Each structure stands twice: as C-alpha cells, then as structure tokens.
Amino acid sequence: MHAIVMTGATRGIGRAAALEMLRADPDLHLVSLSRSSMSGDGVRQPNSIDQRITTIDTDLADIGRIRAAVDEISRRLDGGTLPPLMGFVGNAGLQFVDALHETVDGLESTFAVNVVANHLLLRGLLDHLSAPARIVITVSDTHFGDLRHNLGMVPAPRWSSPSVLSRPGAFDEPDTVRAGRRAYSTSKLAAIHLVHEWSRRLPDGIDILAYNPSFVPGTGLTRAAGRRDRLVSRWLLPALTLSPTVDRISTAGRKLADVVLGRTPAASGAYVDRTRVTASSDESYDPDRERALWDFLEDLVPPRAAAPQ
C-alpha cells in the first residue's frame, strides 16, 4: 500500500480524479484534506473504496490549521497507520468576486489557497515522501491572459512583488469582479512559478508537475460569483462541452488521475495541458521571479526543517 495526500478532492474535477485513482490503483490510500463542513460532498463511497480514504479536517486559508494537518499526517505516517507517502495533489483552488477577501493570517484569500497552502503542505510533507513520488499542482491556462485561453472571461495576470500580491487590494479597483478574476489568473501564474522552483530543488525521484484541466464547466469554481455569472456557468457554459477544447468534469478528473498515477509521462517541472506536455506561457518562465516567490514564501512561513537547496 501507498498513500497520496490530496486537496480539493471533495467536489468537481478533484472528486472525479480521486475516485478514478482509487479505482485504478487498489494499493492506493487517499488522504483528503478538506474542511469538516464539506464532508457531505466528500469522496466517500458505500463500498470497499471507503476503507482506503482518510479525511483530515483542514482549512487551506489558515496557516495554523494547515500545519496542524501536516502534523497529524506525519504522526500517522510515523506510527504506521498510514502507508508510505508517494505523492501529493494540490488541486484545491478559489476564485472570488473581488480581491479583498482576507484570511485569518492577513493574506489575500486567492493567493493564500492557490499558492501559499501548496508551498506550506509541500514543505511539511517533503521529508515523508518516498521516491519514486509525484507531486501535481492544478493550475489554469488563464495564466496566458489571451482570448484563446480565457474565452474573454478572465483578465490577464498582472505580476508584482509577492509581498504585494499576497495582500488584499493588490489590483486596480479591488472591489470588482474583474480584480477578483485577475487575482485568480495571477495566482495560477504564481503556482507555475512555484512548480518550476520546486523542480529545481526536489531530490532525485520526486517529480513535480503543473496540470492544466483547461475549461471545465460546472466545477463550482464560480460558486462565490454573482447571480449573473452563476447562471451563465450553470446554463450556458455546459453547452461548450460539445467543443473538443472543453472537457466534462468526469473527463478532466480522469486526465488529472492519469497525470498523478504516471499514466501521462512527463519530466519534473513540466506543464501538462490535459493529456500532453507543452509549454506554459512565455511569462511563466522567469527564474528571478521564481526565486523571489520562493524566498517570500519561506520568509512568510518559516520552515521547521532546512529548505531544499
């Protein structure tokens, strides 16, 4: 048996991916990190699969609760109640109708969940990962910032210092939906930067990948949006699944599972667009930004052990 820790496994693409991984790999034990209030939407099934799922109460917008979850996973791994850890899937993501939502730690919520939480979980779990292991972070092609990739719905990312991006009000007219969506695309660009930097630092045998599901209607990502946007997402956008460039939730989940399980081959640091390795945006390749983001995150949340060099 072996374990994979996963965020965002309670709904949408993540839930579909989790169930596919458990079906395809009978030796897999899934550790799902989610808020207890969302347990009704979880991955649990009324059959033997249920015995291979452990749910740990976690709030990805709260640094203290993330660390508590890491401590709990570590205790179970060290105590042998969880099998060896062979992977991590950072699939959780948030998007808001403004750029003003603030966490208990004073961080802008989009950046906190989409970037900080992934880094903190990886730092905490790294010493427990057993090679060969695969880390997958779900990103978004909205980071390209062009019509082809965002359907005109999401503004292009706008990079600035991580110390600015991590705080509420980082974008023009921060109380608008446009600012909230720009915070989302920028956070996904930051997540790709983070994948690149981690890939340079991870030990041999532990790979990290960025997975882009492309556009998938009905995932619940817009659940914090206004009434008009929710109606468009619910009734109009699902019709786009007839297009070969758009996937259903079940299809996108299967493709994510393929990446996590290694059925989609890719070298560490790669950007996987649904089923194929390709280049992310030109802007996403910037070693100076990537190092600056790493340094900011390390200073924001001092590690308990020495950082990989």
Side-chain angles (χ1 to χ4, degrees):
M1 294 289 292
H2 53 266
I4 290 178
V5 173
M6 184 173 185
T7 68
T10 59
R11 65 176 76 210
I13 296 170
R15 185 176 190 276
L19 292 175
E20 170 62 17
M21 289 189 294
L22 289 163
R23 183 202 65 77
D25 184 355
D27 292 325
L28 172 64
H29 189 98
L30 183 74
V31 181
S32 173
L33 304 186
S34 64
R35 294 194 302 273
S36 57
S37 62
M38 298 175 66
S39 60
D41 297 324
V43 296
R44 294 191 175 277
Q45 298 291 294
N47 52 42
S48 60
I49 284 180
D50 184 62
Q51 301 172 13
R52 294 191 282 126
I53 302 171
T54 295
T55 301
I56 293 180
D57 183 30
T58 315
D59 185 348
L60 297 177
D62 185 325
I63 289 173
R65 290 183 64 181
I66 293 172
R67 281 188 152 159
V70 169
D71 289 344
E72 178 63 22
I73 295 169
S74 298
R75 281 193 292 271
R76 297 190 188 198
L77 288 168
D78 292 340
T81 58
L82 282 177
L85 184 62
M86 304 293 287
F88 169 76
V89 186
N91 179 67
L94 284 181
Q95 181 182 146
F96 292 99
V97 294
D98 58 45
L100 293 173
H101 280 67
E102 186 173 349
T103 71
V104 295
D105 303 296
L107 302 174
E108 193 278 316
S109 297
T110 315
F111 191 89
V113 172
N114 297 357
V115 184
V116 176
N118 283 321
H119 184 72
L120 183 55
L121 286 166
L122 285 176
R123 290 292 292 110
L125 296 173
L126 179 60
D127 289 344
H128 293 281
L129 282 168
S130 301
R134 178 168 274 201
I135 299 162
V136 179
I137 307 296
T138 299
V139 294
S140 169
D141 52 6
T142 59
H143 84 278
F144 280 90
D146 56 19
L147 182 63
R148 175 186 168 213
H149 292 93
N150 63 25
L151 304 179
M153 297 172 60
V154 182
R158 182 174 296 164
W159 192 260
S160 59
S161 166
S163 63
V164 173
L165 295 176
S166 66
R167 304 296 172 178
F171 303 99
D172 296 339
E173 299 181 308
D175 59 339
T176 64
V177 171
R178 183 173 181 82
R181 290 179 175 171
R182 194 183 298 279
Y184 176 78
S185 63
T186 304
S187 74
K188 292 302 185 178
L189 174 62
I192 297 173
H193 284 327
L194 194 59
V195 167
H196 292 164
E197 188 64 24
W198 267 101
S199 71
R200 287 190 280 266
R201 296 169 179 269
L202 286 168
D204 291 342
I206 301 179
D207 296 337
I208 184 169
L209 306 171
Y211 165 73
N212 168 49
S214 192
F215 184 69
V216 183
T219 60
L221 186 62
T222 59
R223 57 187 175 271
R227 182 173 181 272
R228 180 186 67 84
D229 290 338
R230 292 198 304 270
L231 288 173
V232 169
S233 178
R234 180 177 180 183
W235 299 109
L236 177 60
L237 297 182
L240 293 175
T241 56
L242 298 175
S243 166
T245 62
V246 177
D247 280 337
R248 296 182 183 275
I249 291 174
S250 57
T251 305
R254 176 179 54 77
K255 291 175 181 177
L256 172 56
D258 287 344
V259 175
V260 176
L261 297 176
R263 298 187 298 201
T264 298
S268 189
Y271 178 81
V272 182
D273 180 19
R274 297 192 288 178
T275 61
R276 65 190 182 95
V277 174
T278 187
S280 49
S281 70
D282 291 344
E283 185 182 10
S284 70
Y285 298 94
D286 190 322
D288 291 337
R289 277 190 192 176
E290 291 156 6
R291 178 57 188 259
L293 177 61
W294 174 278
D295 289 344
F296 169 77
L297 293 171
E298 291 289 293
D299 289 342
L300 176 69
V301 188
R304 297 176 180 180
Q309 300 297 319

